[in-house]
Amino acid sequence: MTEINEEFLQDLKLYTPEIWEYYEETREYSVNTYYRKLFNDGVKEGTVRKDIDLDILIKIYFNLTEMTVDADKFNKGNYTNYDLYKDISKIFLEGALVRD
């Protein structure tokens, strides 16, 4: 996802909505499948809190990462898709606060 050109995605969304819809469905499936496994494994290992609903966690992550593929929802400025995805993932998974 980080390698895909933003202009290509915008053209895809604008000129071929059926392909855009398929792309979004595939991305949602991938996030739901792979990250659900990752978070489930984390719960079992004790690295992910077990008191958090995984459905909500997955939806939040999906919507946050959507900012990297939909310029209408996030003004990228000088950020690349890779930089956005990396920083969004880091903030989501590690937090924004410095730990003592």
Side-chain angles (χ1 to χ4, degrees):
M1 181 172 74
T2 60
E3 301 291 324
I4 297 174
N5 181 291
E6 176 187 343
E7 289 80 17
F8 172 76
L9 290 175
Q10 291 306 312
D11 284 349
L12 195 68
K13 183 178 180 182
L14 184 62
Y15 299 112
T16 57
E18 66 282 353
I19 295 174
W20 174 258
E21 185 176 326
Y22 175 76
Y23 171 78
E24 283 291 284
E25 288 171 0
T26 302
R27 193 172 72 80
E28 184 173 8
Y29 173 81
S30 296
V31 168
N32 192 37
T33 301
Y34 300 114
Y35 279 89
R36 182 172 303 280
K37 180 181 178 348
L38 177 71
F39 293 137
N40 270 324
D41 290 349
V43 168
K44 290 175 189 171
E45 294 171 4
T47 56
V48 173
R49 293 173 46 177
K50 61 182 169 185
D51 63 332
I52 296 174
D53 185 315
L54 288 184
D55 287 331
I56 293 172
L57 190 62
I58 296 295
K59 287 179 190 290
I60 291 169
Y61 186 73
F62 178 79
N63 286 308
L64 284 173
T65 58
E66 186 173 20
M67 291 188 299
T68 66
V69 297
D70 192 348
D72 295 340
K73 294 187 179 179
F74 189 84
N75 182 5
K76 291 185 182 183
N78 295 322
Y79 302 111
T80 65
N81 285 358
Y82 174 78
D83 290 336
L84 282 173
Y85 186 78
K86 179 183 70 156
D87 286 347
I88 288 169
S89 294
K90 181 182 270 189
I91 292 166
F92 179 75
L93 296 171
E94 298 174 21
L97 301 177
V98 175
R99 298 174 192 232
D100 292 336

